[in-house]
Amino acid sequence: MVFDHAGREVARHQLAHAQILPQAGWVEHDPVDIYQRTCEAIEGALSQGNLTAQDLSAVGITNQRETTVVWNPKTGEPLYNAIVWQDTRTDRIMRQLEQSGAGETIRRKAGLPPATYFSGGKIQWILECVDGVRAAARRGEAIFGNIDTWLIWNLSGGIKGGAHITDVSNASRTMLFNLETLDWDDELLGLFNIPRSMLPAIRPSSDTNFYGLTQPGGPFKGEVPLCADLGDQQAATVGQVCFLPGEAKNTYGTGNFMLLNTGTNIVPSHAGLLTTVCYQFGGAPPVYALEGSVAVTGSAVQWLRDQLGIIKHARDIEALANTVPDNGGVYFVPAFSGLYAPYWRADARGCIVGLSRFNDRGHLARATLEAICYQTRDVLEAMVKDSGVSLEVLKVDGGATVNETLMQLQADILGVPVVRPVVSETTALGAAYAAGLAVGFWRDVEEMRLNWRADKQWEPRWNADKREAGHAGWQKAIERTLNWIDVETR
């Protein structure tokens, strides 16, 4: 996506890439496919906008966090498929860490629970389970990065001197990063038996000392400063201009991610949330956030489309959900990868409860939309508990916010207004803001704040009794998902 100074979209091009599902609980991507599609998306957007590299002030990257790539820096070849954030194959590693007492060390230093979600266990699995990788790491022929690092390395030269870097927001999602020192932590690296030499240098999210330049032989066909990098949810927080402590946003994508800005204070969570770096602009102190991560929201709609075939296109779910006035007593908990915040239960699995002969596809479609909203309520309640701040309005973004029925249900289930900005793809906008800030395209955060404009607001329609009765049913459904995977026999 290309943006102008007013934060308006100038051009975009987007492409899907393949999902690889080798066995239950495993989710992979092809890193080469991702880079090739990225190049095609860049070329398509420039073509659509009739733009060249000379028209661009700067480039920022935002990425699906935690998705783990290990590759040979001498050949540029991945040593294994990217292991995606949703993948649960590292559950054994996480249970061993928790049982050994290392979980408290990870929480204290990294702000994260030991969970399959994060990168550390995925790197360990590749080192342990893919032949030759640990030996390659000792030779300097195996390096790690999340997708941001992989893209920046390729775009800035690859095997011909590409920059091997990440930013503080992505580093804080690995279980290897110390929130206070802002560096890789030797004790944490030891827990996962990961050599420091594999890891990228850590830089600010917006850096006046550019990470590198795009290459004339690459998709930009010229040199543009690569100077911003933010994990997708942190980027959306920047795109929603949530620069003050207490401001929050919720992004609706494959999963749902709510972030609450806590300023320069590291706020440990006692309610099942994550403490994470939100962003760091230049030499300023980092800004932290509390985050609630929900693994399966938009991907539940994809499941209805791809696995069940009850809709042809993701957008069809809104019309189908509106064929019924309510959920007909049906609840769907899409715990395909276990439950994330605030439960952190890897033993949970998805379930549909409350079915009778009365129910039809419409009820399942509506229950799927409600599942997105109830999971968001669970996270919001945890945030209020941790921070003591009650939200008066929820800023929303991401692809699913075009579904107006979903947005109305979200206001009904939360009991607070929901507001969508004019630019709903705030993840890309946040990366653009961070890049533009590094080169002076925007003077400061206040100039970016002036760009934010509301597109539509939804007010709650349900009364308190209906809201609480619905939530009670959801909590009963959550209970049915737990203890499905037998820990002793896995």
Side-chain angles (χ1 to χ4, degrees):
M1 294 183 74
V2 183
F3 296 94
D4 66 13
H5 190 267
R8 291 181 297 242
E9 179 185 326
V10 173
R12 81 157 78 189
H13 191 58
Q14 64 192 75
L15 296 160
H17 62 81
Q19 305 296 309
I20 303 167
L21 307 169
Q23 63 187 63
W26 291 30
V27 187
E28 298 177 0
H29 294 157
D30 178 351
V32 174
D33 181 36
I34 288 177
Y35 179 59
Q36 289 173 343
R37 291 302 174 98
T38 299
C39 291
E40 292 166 19
I42 291 166
E43 290 164 351
L46 293 177
S47 174
Q48 185 205 93
N50 196 26
L51 301 168
T52 68
Q54 286 68 43
D55 297 308
L56 303 178
S57 296
V59 173
I61 298 280
T62 182
N63 60 297
Q64 196 179 73
R65 306 166 304 173
E66 299 96 19
T67 296
T68 297
V69 188
V70 174
W71 72 97
N72 184 332
K74 296 178 180 177
T75 66
E77 294 176 8
L79 300 177
Y80 190 76
N81 277 337
I83 301 180
V84 178
W85 61 276
Q86 295 168 307
D87 189 287
T88 60
R89 76 186 70 185
T90 60
D91 188 38
R92 172 188 58 82
I93 295 170
M94 296 308 127
R95 281 188 285 115
Q96 289 173 347
L97 286 167
E98 198 72 274
Q99 289 162 5
S100 72
E104 278 313 303
T105 301
I106 297 169
R107 288 182 181 88
R108 177 171 50 84
K109 288 190 164 188
L112 310 173
T116 60
Y117 183 18
F118 307 109
S119 311
K122 303 179 200 300
I123 306 168
Q124 180 180 345
W125 187 93
I126 291 172
L127 286 167
E128 288 179 356
C129 300
V130 181
D131 286 346
V133 174
R134 190 170 289 281
R138 284 195 290 268
R139 297 192 304 269
E141 294 179 2
I143 60 175
F144 152 76
N146 294 131
I147 297 297
D148 62 315
T149 301
W150 168 246
L151 292 181
I152 290 169
W153 184 82
N154 276 288
L155 289 170
S156 62
I159 59 173
K160 297 177 181 176
H164 184 218
I165 69 102
T166 190
D167 89 299
V168 288
S169 72
N170 277 290
S172 73
R173 312 297 295 195
T174 59
M175 295 189 291
L176 309 174
F177 175 83
N178 188 309
L179 290 172
E180 292 188 352
T181 66
L182 302 180
D183 195 7
W184 305 121
D185 186 278
D186 287 331
E187 184 180 11
L188 296 176
L189 290 171
L191 293 176
F192 295 92
N193 195 16
I194 294 170
R196 182 184 275 262
S197 59
M198 289 182 70
L199 305 182
I202 301 169
R203 302 281 289 275
S205 314
S206 174
D207 199 344
T208 53
N209 299 314
F210 310 151
Y211 310 146
L213 298 171
T214 63
Q215 300 298 293
F220 289 96
K221 307 291 191 292
E223 293 188 340
V224 188
L226 267 166
C227 51
D229 178 19
L230 283 160
D232 53 5
Q233 303 316 317
Q234 288 96 332
T237 309
V238 171
Q240 286 275 35
V241 297
C242 294
F243 296 128
L244 295 176
E247 294 185 326
K249 69 86 204 176
N250 197 30
T251 296
Y252 297 71
T254 307
N256 261 37
F257 302 88
M258 188 183 294
L259 268 76
L260 175 74
N261 184 323
T262 62
T264 55
N265 295 321
I266 300 172
V267 178
S269 176
H270 303 288
L273 302 177
L274 310 177
T275 304
T276 194
V277 177
C278 195
Y279 57 83
Q280 183 184 24
F281 292 158
V287 169
Y288 296 91
L290 283 170
E291 175 174 334
S293 310
V294 179
V296 178
T297 54
S299 53
V301 177
Q302 295 170 348
W303 181 73
L304 295 187
R305 180 193 67 195
D306 299 339
Q307 268 89 344
L308 297 193
I310 71 169
I311 52 175
K312 285 188 176 180
H313 306 283
R315 63 178 178 272
D316 298 341
I317 192 170
E318 183 169 15
L320 183 57
N322 284 327
T323 61
V324 294
D326 53 43
N327 67 12
V330 174
Y331 289 86
F332 171 28
V333 184
F336 300 148
S337 304
L339 288 168
Y340 283 16
Y343 304 101
W344 298 107
R345 293 289 294 263
D347 62 328
R349 284 298 177 269
C351 73
I352 301 168
V353 298
L355 289 170
S356 69
R357 278 294 301 271
F358 165 72
N359 298 121
D360 61 19
R361 295 185 312 149
H363 294 113
L364 182 54
R366 198 168 190 89
T368 302
L369 297 185
E370 289 188 359
I372 296 172
C373 302
Y374 280 121
Q375 290 180 101
T376 297
R377 173 169 167 164
D378 289 342
V379 167
L380 180 59
E381 289 183 347
M383 280 191 172
V384 171
K385 189 174 177 182
D386 269 335
S387 69
V389 176
S390 295
L391 281 191
E392 295 183 7
V393 63
L394 181 65
K395 288 183 173 182
V396 298
D397 54 71
T401 60
V402 299
N403 185 325
E404 301 209 348
T405 301
L406 173 65
M407 294 295 97
Q408 183 59 57
L409 283 168
Q410 188 67 88
D412 293 337
I413 286 169
L414 290 183
V416 299
V418 169
V419 60
R420 179 181 68 197
V422 170
V423 178
S424 65
E425 292 291 352
T426 53
T427 300
L429 180 59
Y433 277 162
L437 196 62
V439 296
F441 187 74
W442 288 287
R443 265 193 325 275
D444 52 31
V445 296
E446 290 309 315
E447 192 174 18
M448 297 186 288
R449 189 186 288 280
L450 295 174
N451 287 342
W452 194 92
R453 296 181 302 282
D455 174 45
K456 187 163 183 177
Q457 182 161 313
W458 291 266
E459 299 291 335
R461 293 176 182 170
W462 290 4
N463 63 33
D465 289 345
K466 183 174 181 178
R467 184 174 304 117
E468 295 316 307
H471 191 237
W474 170 255
Q475 290 176 312
K476 284 173 65 178
I478 287 283
E479 290 170 13
R480 304 304 192 271
T481 72
L482 304 179
N483 301 306
W484 189 258
I485 300 296
D486 188 344
V487 171
E488 279 68 42
T489 60
R490 268 180 290 182

